[in-house]
């Protein structure tokens, strides 16, 4: 059996070090991905839970519209996005180009997340009535606005 030379051992050691660095980077990316996804899932799920609790307590007047359904559909959309990770890696994730009316997006988000507001928090809606629609991916806009409003509600106790 041939003995490895010093240059061969150095090369193998360098390769092992690089593999370890790559592994650490992969683990870090996975952890970051899981952190983001858990945040994305938590917001609509909390809305569903709050609305379900309101129904259980008999506060059905809080649920006179489609809030539970909207929150469930939002959650389903996020889960579908998780399934598109392979497409993201390949750079082929579909982005829809559709007419987006910001007023309906804001309505959707506020209806879904209003139950998360603390008792001393008032949500005010202010969307310009003459705001023109734009071309974009409605589900991505909802996702972004849901994150922003969800964080506001999470960290605001009064106001």
């Amino acid at each position: 059996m041939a003995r490895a030379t010093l240059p061969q051992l150095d090369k193998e050691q360098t390769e092992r070090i690089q593999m370890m660095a790559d592994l650490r980077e992969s683990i870090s990316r996975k952890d970051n991905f899981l952190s983001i996804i858990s945040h994305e899932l938590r917001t609509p799920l909390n809305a569903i839970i709050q609305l379900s609790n309101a129904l259980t307590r008999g506060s059905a007047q809080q649920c006179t519209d489609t809030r539970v359904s909207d929150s469930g559909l939002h959650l389903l959309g996020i889960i579908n996005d998780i399934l598109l990770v392979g497409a993201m890696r390949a750079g082929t994730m579909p982005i829809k180009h559709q007419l987006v009316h910001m007023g309906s997006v804001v309505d959707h988000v506020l209806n879904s997340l209003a139950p998360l507001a603390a008792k001393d928090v008032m949500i005010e809606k202010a969307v310009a009535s003459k705001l023109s629609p734009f071309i974009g991916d409605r589900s991505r806009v909802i996702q972004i606005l849901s994150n922003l409003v969800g964080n506001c509600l999470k960290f605001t106790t009064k106001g």
Side-chain angles (χ1 to χ4, degrees), residues 65-127:
D65 52 29
T66 61
R67 283 187 257 182
V68 174
S69 177
D70 287 347
S71 294
L73 289 172
H74 181 66
L75 188 57
L76 178 62
I78 292 169
I79 292 169
N80 287 336
D81 287 347
I82 293 169
L83 298 175
L84 289 173
V85 168
M88 287 174 19
R89 284 187 184 157
T92 59
M93 183 172 172
I95 300 293
K96 296 177 186 170
H97 295 89
Q98 58 198 139
L99 200 58
V100 179
H101 297 272
M102 202 61 196
S104 70
V105 168
V106 170
D107 287 340
H108 174 88
V109 170
L110 293 182
N111 285 335
S112 296
L113 299 181
L116 299 178
K119 289 182 182 182
D120 293 335
V121 174
M122 177 178 278
I123 300 174
E124 293 183 21
K125 174 186 165 188
V127 178

Side-chain angles (χ1 to χ4, degrees), residues 7-124:
Q8 288 172 325
L9 291 175
D10 285 344
K11 181 181 177 191
E12 289 173 7
Q13 180 67 15
T14 301
E15 289 172 354
R16 279 193 287 276
I17 291 170
Q18 184 60 47
M19 286 174 47
M20 291 298 291
D22 291 346
L23 181 58
R24 283 188 191 99
E25 176 66 22
S26 293
I27 290 170
S28 176
R29 285 183 186 175
K30 176 201 58 115
D31 290 345
N32 188 42
F33 172 78
L34 291 175
S35 174
I36 291 168
I37 291 303
S38 65
H39 175 75
E40 293 286 332
L41 294 174
R42 201 175 5 245
T43 301
L45 187 56
N46 279 329
I48 292 168
I49 291 167
Q50 293 294 328
L51 290 165
S52 298
N53 288 340
L55 287 171
T56 302
R57 287 190 312 269
S59 304
Q61 67 271 14
Q62 294 178 3
C63 303
T64 57
D65 52 29
T66 61
R67 283 187 257 182
V68 174
S69 177
D70 287 347
S71 294
L73 289 172
H74 181 66
L75 188 57
L76 178 62
I78 292 169
I79 292 169
N80 287 336
D81 287 347
I82 293 169
L83 298 175
L84 289 173
V85 168
M88 287 174 19
R89 284 187 184 157
T92 59
M93 183 172 172
I95 300 293
K96 296 177 186 170
H97 295 89
Q98 58 198 139
L99 200 58
V100 179
H101 297 272
M102 202 61 196
S104 70
V105 168
V106 170
D107 287 340
H108 174 88
V109 170
L110 293 182
N111 285 335
S112 296
L113 299 181
L116 299 178
K119 289 182 182 182
D120 293 335
V121 174
M122 177 178 278
I123 300 174
E124 293 183 21

